Amino acid sequence: MTWCIEYSKSGRAKCRNCGQKIENGVVRCGKEEFSPMYGPVTGWNHPECLTWRNLSPQSMIGWRSIRPEDQTAILNLVSGGAGRQSGGPTRWVPLPRPGQPWVPPPLSSAAMAGAGSSSSQESQHDGVMAEPNWATVEEERQDTDVLYGKVNVLVVGCRYYGGLLHEGEYAELVREPRNQYDRNAIRVDNMMAQQVGHIKKEQAAVLAPMIDDASPLKPWIEVEVNEGGTNMFQVSCTASIYGPVEYQEQVLRYVMASGVLRLKGNQSIPGSPGMGSGTGVTGTNSSNLSVVRSVKISSAEASQKSLDKLYDELKTDLSQLDTASVMKALQGKLLSPLFPHQQQGVAWMLSREASLSLPPFWSQVTEAGTTVYYNQVTKSSQSTAPAPVKGGLVCDDMGLGKTLQTLCCAAADQFTQAPGGGGGGGTLWGGARP
């Protein structure tokens, strides 16, 4: 078993720890092994994703080819310096909660920069956060929580469960403190509440104490699936950690001190130096923290184009509407002639009332040899077909005959009288108000 270190040559390899692709040109560490099927193979890792237990970078093949500034960053990482954020707690320190003596957190650099909650700006005196109003703190957090950072997590054991996750889909984390194999187990469900797997054991050991904390001030975690979705064994996800700005540094120091979770992108702990550019992680200013309500998933222009594309796919081809059958059904019942657009409107209304097609944004696809139904908005799938959505809204401009079209819809699809005089399966309709 031989270790080597080099700069990534293509950006295609994935880190064996976090599951993320290792960007082209950044430092990567690999362990050469022999595979009976493929022969010699190398499993690559981000330097930040290794625990470096009993490992020495200087003894790795290729160490002398690493630039001096990156050698320094990696040595700091190994010794618990800038990369791994030494000084952070290796055990989770519970946050304050009602019924206990109030212990204020130290004023963080982010709070001093004015990036966070009203409590950090109005309730702090001489660098000390005043005790919050516990009755309203959870409601207030909806407007004041900030994004601490994003880390890569792996969902493993996927082959043992039936649930699937798709690229862009959000997943739910469910704690399993009574799991017979791991008391820190965190189950991962998709949006249909189907189990997909569990968070990797080493990562769950870091996240579980945060989730279990009984404090109303504890951080919360949102998980989104990365590129590729579920394969047979695992799925790579991004976990975004949010919480009150006053505890941002404390939480991130705890997360990074574990050595098994790696901050994504250009992130580091405020007030701490970042890794060199060769490792792909650089420092960031704590004043760049964003309040949750202002975090953007994508640009406004891209979001609008994506939404427009979805709605364009819903447009009805008016030339395919059977207006002739409609006019035949109205023979002897209609005194006023219908304009072409009114004929199309009546035909569309009747087609919507009889629709058995999938609802908007749903499609039938095949996954793992099984037919499922996929929702383009939530990025989730389910095994049963969603109920058809019948009816619709006629939104013609004023004076174009909405009332006449509605009357014609009722006349063409008459109410059927059930035996015995009771009502039977008729159409519920309503006219537009003036």
Side-chain angles (χ1 to χ4, degrees):
M1 183 176 65
T2 305
W3 282 89
C4 59
I5 185 169
E6 66 178 29
Y7 291 102
S8 176
K9 299 174 181 177
S10 66
R12 294 193 300 268
K14 291 186 177 181
C15 175
R16 284 198 170 183
N17 194 321
C18 69
Q20 287 292 291
K21 288 184 177 180
I22 302 175
E23 297 178 9
N24 185 28
V26 304
V27 174
R28 63 182 183 179
C29 302
K31 181 171 65 173
E32 296 180 353
E33 301 172 330
F34 182 82
S35 167
M37 183 176 295
Y38 302 106
V41 295
T42 303
W44 298 104
N45 295 272
H46 293 106
E48 302 90 342
C49 292
L50 289 175
T51 58
W52 292 100
R53 188 178 296 115
N54 300 323
L55 284 178
S56 171
Q58 295 97 325
S59 64
M60 292 182 175
I61 298 174
W63 172 253
R64 293 188 178 183
S65 66
I66 303 301
R67 292 189 293 266
E69 61 271 21
D70 291 328
Q71 289 185 357
T72 301
I74 292 172
L75 291 175
N76 285 337
L77 175 67
V78 175
S79 63
R84 200 163 164 184
Q85 306 295 352
S86 69
T90 56
R91 298 187 63 182
W92 175 253
V93 178
L95 302 185
R97 63 176 187 259
Q100 293 185 341
W102 171 247
V103 179
L107 186 60
S108 67
S109 57
M112 289 189 291
S117 66
S118 59
S119 63
S120 66
Q121 297 172 10
E122 299 173 4
S123 304
Q124 291 177 354
H125 307 282
D126 300 324
V128 177
M129 173 184 172
E131 182 171 4
N133 182 346
W134 296 112
T136 60
V137 66
E138 292 190 16
E139 181 179 348
E140 293 172 352
R141 286 187 57 183
Q142 297 178 9
D143 297 322
T144 59
D145 277 4
V146 300
L147 172 64
Y148 288 170
K150 300 183 178 183
V151 296
N152 297 313
V153 293
L154 274 182
V155 182
V156 297
C158 301
R159 58 179 170 171
Y160 301 114
Y161 305 98
L164 294 175
L165 286 171
H166 307 82
E167 180 179 341
E169 183 177 356
Y170 285 91
E172 182 180 2
L173 302 183
V174 182
R175 276 286 285 120
E176 292 184 336
R178 301 190 181 211
N179 186 290
Q180 60 178 323
Y181 302 106
D182 181 16
R183 61 176 182 159
N184 292 317
I186 302 176
R187 190 178 81 232
V188 180
D189 293 351
N190 61 20
M191 296 192 67
M192 303 308 299
Q194 299 170 326
Q195 183 171 357
V196 179
H198 287 88
I199 295 294
K200 189 175 181 180
K201 182 176 181 179
E202 294 81 3
Q203 298 172 340
V206 180
L207 299 177
M210 297 167 53
I211 298 175
D212 293 341
D213 197 320
S215 171
L217 298 172
K218 72 176 181 180
W220 52 279
I221 304 171
E222 185 178 73
V223 176
E224 182 179 5
V225 182
N226 295 330
E227 179 182 358
T230 305
N231 61 30
M232 183 182 296
F233 302 103
Q234 63 186 32
V235 54
S236 172
C237 298
T238 295
S240 300
I241 305 175
Y242 301 90
V245 66
E246 293 83 4
Y247 294 97
Q248 179 247 350
E249 291 185 19
Q250 176 181 331
V251 172
L252 287 189
R253 287 190 182 280
Y254 162 76
V255 169
M256 293 302 290
S258 68
V260 298
L261 290 173
R262 172 178 178 264
L263 285 174
K264 293 186 64 173
N266 296 328
Q267 304 176 78
S268 70
I269 299 176
S272 301
M275 291 285 291
S277 58
T279 62
V281 181
T282 58
T284 184
N285 191 315
S286 62
S287 63
N288 291 332
L289 279 173
S290 299
V291 175
V292 173
R293 61 175 177 269
S294 64
V295 172
K296 296 182 179 179
I297 302 302
S298 59
S299 68
E301 182 179 359
S303 298
Q304 186 61 50
K305 287 182 178 180
S306 176
L307 190 62
D308 290 343
K309 181 180 178 181
L310 285 174
Y311 277 103
D312 286 342
E313 295 175 356
L314 297 179
K315 289 183 178 178
T316 303
D317 186 356
L318 298 181
S319 64
Q320 300 298 316
L321 293 173
D322 189 4
T323 56
S325 297
V326 172
M327 297 308 297
K328 183 177 179 180
L330 290 174
Q331 284 183 358
K333 305 174 184 177
L334 184 65
L335 299 179
S336 175
L338 295 180
F339 290 104
H341 78 274
Q342 295 171 333
Q343 296 179 28
Q344 291 177 337
V346 176
W348 177 82
M349 294 168 71
L350 291 172
S351 70
R352 289 302 310 153
E353 290 197 342
S355 175
L356 295 177
S357 60
L358 293 173
F361 310 124
W362 285 88
S363 59
Q364 182 177 311
V365 299
T366 301
E367 290 181 348
T370 304
T371 298
V372 297
Y373 300 90
Y374 177 73
N375 188 299
Q376 303 172 48
V377 177
T378 64
K379 310 295 185 184
S380 62
S381 64
Q382 61 186 52
S383 58
T384 57
V389 177
K390 299 185 178 183
L393 297 174
V394 179
C395 301
D396 287 347
D397 290 336
M398 181 181 288
L400 293 183
K402 293 187 293 294
T403 302
L404 178 58
Q405 293 176 57
T406 304
L407 292 172
C408 289
C409 177
D413 186 17
Q414 292 209 356
F415 182 86
T416 302
Q417 191 76 9
T427 300
L428 178 65
W429 59 277
R433 292 185 178 181

